[in-house]
Amino acid sequence: MSDLRELYQQVILDHNKNPRNFREMADATRKVEGFNPLCGDHYTIFLKIDGDVIRDISFVGNGCAISKASTSVMSSSVKGKTREEADALFDVFHKLVTGDKGGDVEDELGRFAPFSGVAEFPTRVKCAILAWHTLKSALHEEKESVTTE
Amino acid sequence: MNPRSADRGTADRGPQTADRRNAEEVPLPSAVRGPRSDYDVERIRRDFPILSRSIRGRKLVYLDNAATTQKPQVVIDRLVRYYTEENSNVHRGVHYLSEVATADYEAARTTVKKFINARDEKEIVFTRGTTEAINLVAQSWGRVNVREGDEILITAIEHHSNIVPWQLLCEEKKARLRVAPVDDDGDIILDELARLLTPRTRLVAVGHASNALGTINPIAEIIAMAHANGSLVLVDGAQGVPHMSIDVQALDCDFYAFSGHKVYAPTGIGALYGKESILDAMPPWQGGGDMILSVSFEKTTFNALPYKFEAGTPNIEGVIGLAAALDYVSLAGIENIAAHEHDLLTYATGRLREVDGLRIIGTAKRKAAVISFTLEGVHPHDIGTILDREGVAIRTGHHCAQPLMMRFNIPATSRASFAMYNTRAEADALITGLHKVIEVFR
């Protein structure tokens, strides 16, 4: 059970049950869908971007606990951040869940720590990273949908 | 008799003929044949080496048989023997090895013919699997038989492999794909299917059993209805062949497709049955070697059935392995296997119903040993991961049946599917694992 408890930490279970920023946004400036065909994770992320800053972010959809908690944590952590700051957070998160110990980026606030167990479950990495890829696409590309396959 | 020692040394006795591959001459698997009461699942388990390995320090409980089945030692040994003693190309060489390989390849066709009770070997075309078999029919038969405004009728319960080839055909021909609905139990609504049979319905494509819900469809009735309407019928038998005795002549289906790997044979091999008169009138599908009689740059004369549809060097090891698997199943007795699996289905269904918050999706009257379910508040993917840590392998997701998931308004399910070697104790392990899931999530 110990590695399962590592994967399904209380914080993840909490975000899964009570996801933050879980709502539609009528006045969003950007709306991108992310889905994972393997398991059917499917989210729509709404953004209100003002110049270079993410003024507001929300999401709707459904999927596994890892993907939902990850999307919830992502939404809280990038709100109010610039594109560049959000990109840096992407890198931090990506390194954490893929078990990449190299590089100089660090999760200073430790807010991604609950996802450290994901690295032990290779098939679940794409569940955790889906929201972040979707965000990246929303910030930098014109695509309307993203998959992690 | 030890199957392996009996199998060895045949090369010394000259090329094998079809007759020598008759079922009665094939060595018995250690699994005991005979009536239900003699079905000894523990002995059968010993024939499947992978079942004795452990996964993450726990005994493997393999309940993903609708995805693919494990292989008995006789099948594995047969592949080794082919490459150790017989490897050669078929239908070409005049040398000894080519004669052996050709004889075994064609003997395998006879084995398949008998297994599904086709009338003639010409009616058995080897393919990569069910998917390729269906594509062959859609592309070859469809090319000359489907015109603008015609209709192909499928059902809401189909696997993507029995949807997409028809969609491609309909798009190309400006034909119409129609879909017979299923009810809340996962049974095809036959009255609706009857209404959808029109003078334009050229073909009905229906699964024998559903990989996602387990429903065994009333294909005999559907075939009779379609024929009365003047429509042909293709049966996707991927989930039929492993679980029940198949008689294509009694069914009177026009095409029947299945995959070897779901019936204890290697991956990459399957077969298409087609009525001879229909196959004969169809144009070739893929061009290449083996499917021709003579080639010039002006004109090519095509080979006879079934070779017309087997372009290129075939999957010889797969074909030979398929025959070994079907022999193994025949000796255990498909009726015995069906009875054993039905017992597991009944037992596991009962135990699953006791799990708090669990809902079984697919409650048809007749089911193969496939159980799809959802667990309140837990996504199937999380269930799959937690069960995996317990050594229990199940499938989670949409099971290549997205329209069906939409019908039941769920994104995905968890699916446990049973085979000839599973036990009640393994169903118990599934239940224990599900209680772990609940422990983590509640």
Side-chain angles (χ1 to χ4, degrees):
Chain A
M1 276 306 259
S2 66
D3 53 350
L4 281 177
R5 284 286 176 212
E6 279 292 302
L7 179 66
Y8 294 106
Q9 294 189 26
Q10 211 48 53
V11 179
I12 290 183
L13 296 174
D14 172 57
H15 275 272
N16 176 50
K17 253 189 184 157
N18 307 296
R20 322 297 192 261
N21 305 304
F22 194 69
R23 59 187 157 80
E24 298 205 13
M25 194 190 295
D27 56 348
T29 57
R30 194 90 176 85
K31 175 182 153 190
V32 176
E33 262 183 284
F35 68 98
N36 180 348
L38 177 75
C39 48
D41 296 339
H42 195 165
Y43 298 98
T44 304
I45 293 179
F46 302 88
L47 289 166
K48 201 182 292 170
I49 300 173
D50 176 8
D52 204 33
V53 179
I54 302 165
R55 285 285 170 224
D56 199 7
I57 178 166
S58 71
F59 75 104
V60 294
N62 64 66
C64 65
I66 307 298
S67 66
K68 189 173 268 181
S70 168
T71 313
S72 172
V73 169
M74 181 276 287
S75 69
S76 312
S77 64
V78 303
K79 202 184 279 191
K81 296 279 192 291
T82 63
R83 277 194 173 88
E84 203 178 324
E85 287 165 335
D87 287 346
L89 287 170
F90 176 102
D91 291 339
V92 173
F93 189 83
H94 193 273
K95 286 195 167 164
L96 180 82
V97 298
T98 55
D100 180 353
K101 303 273 191 284
D104 51 3
V105 280
E106 269 178 46
D107 176 20
E108 283 167 19
L109 298 175
R111 71 179 112 206
F112 301 150
F115 294 93
S116 59
V118 173
E120 298 301 315
F121 295 77
T123 59
R124 309 306 302 274
V125 171
K126 50 174 160 278
C127 307
I129 206 78
L130 174 65
W132 289 90
H133 277 296
T134 311
L135 173 73
K136 198 162 201 178
S137 170
L139 293 176
H140 298 286
E141 295 167 38
E142 295 307 309
K143 274 196 284 185
E144 304 269 295
S145 74
V146 176
T147 84
T148 50
E149 278 301 279
Chain B
M1 186 157 56
N2 180 329
R4 268 160 273 173
S5 63
D7 243 19
R8 295 221 186 269
T10 42
D12 300 331
R13 287 183 257 131
Q16 293 175 320
T17 63
D19 288 337
R20 287 186 43 204
R21 303 302 298 167
N22 278 349
E24 52 272 25
E25 292 203 16
V26 171
L28 296 171
S30 55
V32 174
R33 346 64 231 187
R36 171 81 187 97
S37 57
D38 287 344
Y39 191 87
D40 184 346
V41 70
E42 289 307 326
R43 292 185 70 175
I44 285 173
R45 290 181 69 79
R46 288 198 287 277
D47 288 340
F48 290 79
I50 205 169
L51 297 180
S52 59
R53 72 159 291 184
S54 60
I55 301 287
R56 306 185 199 288
R58 287 169 191 270
K59 206 171 156 215
L60 167 66
V61 175
Y62 187 78
L63 300 179
D64 193 17
N65 295 286
T68 199
T69 53
Q70 302 301 344
K71 319 307 172 196
Q73 192 67 48
V74 284
V75 170
I76 299 166
D77 286 348
R78 189 64 189 87
L79 301 182
V80 172
R81 181 158 70 84
Y82 170 70
Y83 280 119
T84 311
E85 299 178 5
E86 300 173 8
N87 178 48
S88 187
N89 211 332
V90 293
H91 304 141
R92 310 241 204 301
V94 294
H95 58 79
Y96 178 82
L97 287 183
S98 182
E99 280 177 19
V100 174
T102 303
D104 281 0
Y105 183 85
E106 290 305 325
R109 204 186 300 278
T110 305
T111 303
V112 173
K113 180 200 84 166
K114 286 181 179 163
F115 197 82
I116 62 171
N117 195 33
R119 201 176 51 79
D120 195 289
E121 280 82 358
K122 286 181 212 159
E123 298 177 318
I124 307 297
V125 177
F126 289 120
T127 64
R128 276 197 296 135
T130 308
T131 298
E132 190 177 68
I134 297 172
N135 275 280
L136 190 163
V137 175
Q139 296 294 313
S140 164
W141 176 86
R143 195 191 309 158
V144 291
N145 288 290
V146 175
R147 293 179 185 80
E148 185 171 348
D150 282 346
E151 294 171 4
I152 302 289
L153 177 57
I154 62 173
T155 82
I157 208 166
E158 301 309 315
H159 188 280
H160 293 165
S161 63
N162 202 23
I163 300 173
V164 183
W166 306 115
Q167 251 170 357
L168 291 170
L169 174 68
C170 288
E171 226 165 82
E172 188 188 321
K173 297 288 187 179
K174 297 191 174 68
R176 191 170 170 205
L177 186 66
R178 309 202 74 181
V179 185
V182 295
D183 65 19
D184 291 341
D185 289 322
D187 276 314
I188 296 169
I189 305 171
L190 288 182
D191 290 346
E192 294 289 332
L193 185 134
R195 260 192 286 281
L196 289 165
L197 282 167
T198 75
R200 299 307 299 263
T201 310
R202 302 290 293 136
L203 181 135
V204 178
V206 59
H208 198 161
S210 160
N211 72 305
L213 303 186
T215 310
I216 297 174
N217 295 318
I219 56 167
E221 262 182 274
I222 292 172
I223 291 164
M225 288 160 71
H227 284 176
N229 187 59
S231 317
L232 297 190
V233 178
L234 174 139
V235 178
D236 168 354
Q239 301 293 340
V241 167
H243 304 298
M244 57 198 116
S245 147
I246 308 296
D247 183 338
V248 291
Q249 291 187 74
L251 284 170
D252 196 30
C253 55
D254 302 288
F255 300 104
Y256 194 101
F258 74 95
S259 297
H261 74 97
K262 294 198 196 285
V263 60
Y264 315 106
T267 49
I269 189 64
L272 170 69
Y273 158 82
K275 283 180 181 164
E276 186 179 343
S277 58
I278 299 172
L279 287 178
D280 209 32
M282 282 159 54
W285 180 40
Q286 295 175 329
D290 231 25
M291 55 79 73
I292 49 87
L293 282 181
S294 70
V295 176
S296 73
F297 287 119
E298 288 70 41
K299 180 159 179 62
T300 291
T301 311
F302 299 112
N303 206 337
L305 287 177
Y307 310 108
K308 181 169 86 173
F309 294 111
E310 292 180 3
T313 295
N315 179 358
I316 305 166
E317 64 164 279
V319 165
I320 289 173
L322 173 61
L326 295 183
D327 284 342
Y328 181 82
V329 167
S330 294
L331 287 162
I334 189 75
E335 301 292 351
N336 296 336
I337 293 170
H340 174 73
E341 290 177 348
H342 188 73
D343 174 70
L344 290 173
L345 173 70
T346 308
Y347 178 75
T349 301
R351 292 234 46 203
L352 285 166
R353 286 217 166 100
E354 295 165 11
V355 177
D356 190 31
L358 189 141
R359 176 183 160 214
I360 291 175
I361 310 293
T363 45
K365 286 171 282 299
R366 289 187 65 219
K367 277 181 72 171
V370 171
I371 312 175
S372 249
F373 59 89
T374 58
L375 191 57
E376 202 184 327
V378 192
H379 191 277
H381 211 176
D382 297 314
I383 296 173
T385 289
I386 295 171
L387 289 180
D388 175 59
R389 294 283 143 163
E390 298 296 310
V392 181
I394 62 157
R395 174 76 183 270
T396 62
H398 52 58
H399 316 297
C400 296
Q402 284 180 312
L404 186 63
M405 296 293 114
M406 273 181 242
R407 161 67 180 77
F408 284 91
N409 202 23
I410 44 177
T413 73
S414 302
R415 179 190 72 187
S417 52
F418 298 85
M420 68 186 292
Y421 40 66
N422 289 122
T423 63
R424 285 185 171 208
E426 291 181 306
D428 291 337
L430 169 67
I431 303 297
T432 306
L434 288 171
H435 284 297
K436 288 259 165 66
V437 173
I438 292 168
E439 198 186 314
V440 169
F441 271 80
R442 284 176 199 166

